[in-house]
């Protein structure tokens, strides 16, 4: 980029940054949190539920009121587009608005709301970017209702994945395909667009959901990458029988087998703790789930993560041995649901995010940004396969997320949106 062009680009980025409004941002976060809002301050808005569809309608109306063009694709990903001087491939930002069964009001939603705030700041600043800027709402990032996670962004990058995703079923045996079709029927006024489109770049703003930034006393994080993740479902089938009449030595107790597997898995993870390996057995389904019937069938999930892919591969082999050894007289089915290798964002993008964050910190006379790897996965891990991609983090209070208590200091949320405005404007050119 020519020197004077770079100077103009930085000036426009600075102008956009200075037009971000903290008040408007907080109002928008609170408005979106009403959809699925809980008395404890959390949000229950799992993907493609009525609450999610209502939240989507609210965002469509808001984006249109701002003058954006709104489109949707076959995976119900929503796109809010602000025109540029040209029709070259856009710069994209955004995140997801689906939540965990008991989530917070910031996980995902903050990145979407801040993206709209960036469009408003560009409007207020009278900045017309060379490229269009799009804010996206990815479908089903969480993967808690329908597994795996990040269905919308991964299908956007590789549309061949969508057919398999449509077959996924939730706890009530509704398919993801039925849920997507229902979501698309609910917005007949939104034009459909092809799944995959070229992009100049993607920047996602998100809460850290862990303790690193808060512990370091730093308001903004430059995300260098995302650790690897693997998900499994373990189904153990025994024989349901009477709790009172069945002697212990003739039982085929599915729960007893699972408890023994779980105990050995956590012991192995504890041995690996120095490697940063993280193991979670988060969802248990017991059948018939009755106090006085020996469980005939138990299904539990395994979420395992590590920054070092080799550690995860080794643990994977140990996990398989533990699950098979623990079967006893029960029948065990181990199903792999999700796997994603570590993501590394390109240095040109992390340098741009560093410049954006440093500018926001400088204006607020706060400590310089910190580089870190994301412990959580994000849609950006798939976009990184498609275009130059990066992420910006803001701290999470006490490192808590996937919990109604999820919270971030308003000043940090404001600086994160400012850094996003700067980075998006620099990428879109002005
Ligand atoms: O599970 C994750 O890492 C993401 O928050 N859904
Ligand atoms: Mn998220
Ligand atoms: Mn999440």
């Amino acid at each position: 980029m020519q020197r004077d062009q770079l100077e103009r680009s930085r000036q426009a980025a600075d102008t956009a940054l200075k037009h971000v409004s903290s008040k408007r941002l907080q109002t928008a976060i609170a408005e979106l949190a009403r959809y699925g809002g809980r008395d404890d301050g959390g949000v229950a808005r799992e993907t493609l539920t009525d609450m999610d569809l209502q939240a989507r309608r609210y965002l469509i109306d808001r984006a249109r009121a701002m003058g954006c063009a709104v489109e949707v694709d076959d995976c119900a990903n929503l796109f809010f587009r602000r025109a540029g001087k040209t029709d070259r491939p856009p710069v994209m930002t955004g995140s997801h608005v689906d939540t965990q069964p008991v989530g917070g009001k910031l996980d995902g939603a903050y990145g979407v709301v801040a993206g709209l705030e960036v469009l408003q700041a560009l409007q207020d600043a009278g900045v017309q970017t060379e490229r269009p800027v799009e804010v996206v709402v990815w479908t089903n990032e969480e993967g808690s209702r329908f597994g795996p996670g990040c269905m919308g962004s991964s299908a956007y990058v590789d549309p061949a994945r969508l057919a398999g995703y449509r077959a996924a079923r939730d706890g009530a045996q509704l398919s993801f395909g039925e849920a997507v079709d229902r979501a698309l029927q609910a917005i007949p006024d939104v034009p459909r667009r092809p799944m995959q489109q070229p992009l100049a770049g993607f920047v996602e703003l998100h809460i850290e959901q862990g303790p690193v930034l808060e512990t370091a006393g730093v308001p903004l994080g430059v995300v260098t990458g995302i650790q690897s993740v693997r998900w499994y479902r373990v189904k153990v089938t025994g024989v349901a029988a009477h709790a009172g009449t069945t002697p212990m030595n003739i039982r085929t107790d599915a729960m007893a087998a699972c408890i023994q597997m779980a105990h050995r898995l956590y012991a192995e993870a504890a041995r690996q703790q120095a490697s940063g390996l993280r193991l979670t057995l988060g969802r248990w389904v017991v059948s018939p789930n009755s106090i006085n019937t020996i469980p005939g069938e138990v299904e539990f999930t395994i979420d395992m993560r590590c920054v070092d892919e080799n550690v995860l591969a080794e643990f994977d082999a140990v996990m398989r041995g533990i699950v098979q050894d623990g079967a006893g007289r029960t029948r065990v089915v181990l199903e792999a649901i999700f796997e994603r290798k570590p993501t590394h964002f390109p240095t040109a993008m992390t340098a741009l995010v560093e410049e954006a964050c440093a500018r926001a910190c400088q204006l607020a006379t706060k400590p310089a940004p910190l580089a870190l790897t994301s412990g959580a996965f994000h849609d950006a891990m798939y976009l990184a396969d498609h275009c130059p991609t990066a992420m910006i983090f803001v701290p999470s209070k006490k490192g808590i997320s996937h919990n109604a208590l999820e919270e971030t200091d308003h000043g940090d949320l404001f600086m994160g949106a400012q850094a996003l405005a700067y980075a998006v404007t620099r990428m879109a050119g002005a």
Side-chain angles (χ1 to χ4, degrees):
M1 188 183 278
Q2 303 282 334
R3 196 172 176 72
D4 61 332
Q5 211 181 356
L6 178 58
E7 207 29 55
R8 266 204 318 277
S9 167
R10 282 181 168 152
Q11 269 171 11
D14 219 42
T15 305
L17 176 153
K18 288 172 180 165
H19 280 78
V20 169
S21 157
S22 181
K23 187 169 178 303
R24 211 166 38 198
L25 181 69
Q26 286 303 325
T27 304
I29 289 171
E31 280 182 356
L32 183 52
R34 285 199 318 242
Y35 298 92
R38 294 164 40 100
D39 296 343
D40 58 7
V43 177
R45 190 172 61 229
E46 285 198 278
T47 192
L48 301 181
T49 55
D50 288 346
M51 272 306 150
D52 189 26
L53 302 193
Q54 288 177 34
R56 287 161 163 260
R57 172 52 71 187
Y58 156 76
L59 290 166
I60 290 165
D61 294 348
R62 253 204 80 202
R64 280 183 171 150
M66 291 168 61
C68 294
V70 179
E71 291 181 313
V72 68
D73 69 16
D74 290 347
C75 198
N77 295 313
L78 283 172
F79 304 91
F80 309 134
R81 184 187 183 98
R82 179 175 190 263
K85 290 175 195 159
T86 73
D87 242 352
R88 292 158 65 195
V91 169
M92 184 185 275
T93 185
S95 190
H96 62 96
V97 294
D98 63 300
T99 72
Q100 285 284 314
V102 180
K105 59 181 178 293
L106 297 172
D107 178 1
Y110 168 54
V112 171
V113 163
L116 289 172
E117 176 54 30
V118 168
L119 299 189
Q120 190 61 57
L122 286 166
Q123 196 67 18
D124 294 353
V127 172
Q128 191 64 30
T129 52
E130 282 299 319
R131 296 175 180 274
V133 177
E134 287 192 343
V135 178
V136 63
V137 177
W138 296 120
T139 300
N140 191 24
E141 186 276 346
E142 293 292 354
S144 57
R145 181 184 179 198
F146 300 102
C150 295
M151 283 187 179
S153 51
S154 56
Y156 177 89
V157 172
D158 178 359
R161 290 174 172 139
L162 183 54
Y165 291 159
R166 286 182 61 90
R169 291 188 179 277
D170 67 4
Q173 294 311 303
L174 184 86
S175 74
F176 180 70
E178 290 164 300
V180 166
D181 293 345
R182 192 167 153 264
L184 292 170
Q185 283 148 22
I187 52 172
D189 53 312
V190 177
R192 192 76 61 89
R193 77 182 213 179
M195 278 302 291
Q196 192 196 66
Q197 312 250 330
L199 288 176
F202 177 73
V203 186
E204 182 169 4
L205 173 62
H206 205 286
I207 52 173
E208 179 205 331
Q209 301 181 286
V212 174
L213 290 176
E214 183 180 61
T215 308
V218 170
L220 292 181
V222 178
V223 186
T224 54
I226 300 175
Q227 70 174 342
S228 54
V229 53
R230 295 189 191 194
W231 281 5
Y232 296 92
R233 191 179 289 121
V234 182
K235 190 177 206 175
V236 178
T237 307
V239 177
H242 195 295
T245 59
T246 316
M248 294 303 279
N249 64 336
I250 63 167
R251 294 180 174 207
T252 309
D253 182 339
M255 182 55 85
C258 289
I259 297 289
Q260 199 239 18
M261 291 175 200
H263 179 71
R264 289 186 60 198
L265 286 169
Y266 278 120
E268 185 59 30
R271 266 194 291 280
Q272 297 275 0
Q273 198 164 356
S275 68
L277 179 108
R278 291 168 184 165
L279 172 75
T280 309
L281 309 184
R283 180 167 58 217
W284 290 72
V285 179
V286 182
S287 166
N289 210 26
S290 159
I291 187 169
N292 47 359
T293 300
I294 300 166
E297 188 175 279
V298 176
E299 184 179 286
F300 67 90
T301 54
I302 299 176
D303 175 323
M304 45 202 242
R305 317 216 188 173
C306 194
V307 287
D308 182 340
E309 177 67 11
N310 297 325
V311 168
L312 211 54
E314 281 161 28
F315 188 82
D316 192 293
V318 171
M319 177 276 290
R320 290 171 187 275
I322 289 172
V323 168
Q324 287 316 329
D325 292 353
R329 284 199 293 264
T330 66
R331 187 162 42 84
V332 174
V333 175
L334 172 68
E335 181 194 358
I337 314 173
F338 187 25
E339 177 177 349
R340 194 69 195 161
K341 296 204 176 313
T343 303
H344 303 291
F345 297 129
T347 44
M349 288 299 288
T350 53
L352 174 69
V353 164
E354 162 79 27
E355 180 187 320
C357 292
R359 184 61 182 140
C361 293
Q362 181 194 28
L363 282 173
T365 56
K366 293 274 186 166
L370 182 72
L372 74 166
T373 300
S374 176
F377 63 69
H378 301 283
D379 293 301
M381 69 183 177
Y382 283 102
L383 271 293
D385 288 346
H386 182 65
C387 66
T389 297
M391 290 190 76
I392 302 169
F393 271 175
V394 293
S396 291
K397 285 190 175 171
K398 299 195 180 81
I400 290 181
S401 181
H402 286 192
N403 182 317
L405 296 175
E406 180 181 277
E407 192 49 89
T408 297
D409 179 82
H410 287 191
D412 294 343
L413 292 169
F414 173 51
M415 287 173 66
Q418 288 186 309
L420 184 69
Y422 187 102
V424 164
T425 309
R426 283 276 280 108
M427 288 165 64

